[in-house]
Amino acid sequence: MSDDQPPEDSKLTRSKRAWAEAGKFLTGRHARPEEERLPPGQHLVRDWPVLDLGSQPDVTRERWKLRIDGLAARPITLDWAAFMALPQKSFVSDIHCVTTWSRYDNRWEGVATADLLALVEPRDEAAAVMLHGYDGYTTNLKLADFAAADALLAHSWEGKQIPREHGGPVRLVVPHLYFWKSAKWIARIELLGADRPGFWEVNGYHLRGDPWNEERYSG
Ligand SMILES: Nc1nc2c(c(=O)[nH]1)N[C@H]1C(S)=C(S)[C@@H](COP(=O)(O)O)O[C@H]1N2
Ligand SMILES: [Mo]
């Protein structure tokens, strides 16, 4: 379903693996989101940086399809019209990227992940999801993290279509975890019986990625 395979041994992945080994940016502090809005080691930005593996697939709304399968009683493929016919939600949340920038108060519109899960009926054994992007990117989440109350598949940001470089037509947003978990150009949500590492997780990044516990790296 994806257009190409991500570069396993690019300059980017090599330098990120080195960051993970060195524990770059780690402060050793822990915090609680109720007490500190800005997680340890983060700084605020006003712009919105673009980060990806270097290819930004050109997926039009007409061509975009989302497959939800794996351990589900009712796997489905949604096209744009079917996706837009689902209940639309709007959430405001903060972004925390593992490269230390955070951005407050992003208004997203789209379909809540909890509503999507209700549609496909995860089997009792389902415990995690693997997200697949049209660029071949993958990232994993525990089912409960994916289903968080403010997590959604977003098509709009600040009232406008999410532009291609930020993952349009549809990207995931899971605000309580580092932003690498929020797959852009989402193509497939695969329900799994157990958590297994995606692209950055294989390359030294944490399996879960909680910013307040500084779960940057696996080591
Ligand atoms: N499909 C896909 N999703 C992705 C990525 C990617 O390379 N491909 N990069 C991740 C990383 S590392 C980050 S920090 C965020 C960046 O999102 P942004 O470019 O909208 O800021 O997207 C995440 N989702
Ligand atoms: Mo990232």
Side-chain angles (χ1 to χ4, degrees), residues 14-24 26 200 203-206 216-219:
R14 280 197 300 275
S15 76
K16 291 258 183 140
R17 275 200 297 267
W19 289 8
E21 269 161 41
K24 195 169 168 163
L26 285 177
W200 285 124
N203 284 287
Y205 282 70
H206 198 280
R216 300 181 191 273
Y217 313 115
S218 60

Side-chain angles (χ1 to χ4, degrees), residues 153-174:
L153 289 197
H155 55 72
S156 296
W157 173 83
E158 300 296 319
K160 299 177 294 266
Q161 297 182 11
I162 294 178
R164 173 176 171 188
E165 66 268 25
H166 285 298
V170 180
R171 74 170 300 156
L172 181 66
V173 178
V174 178

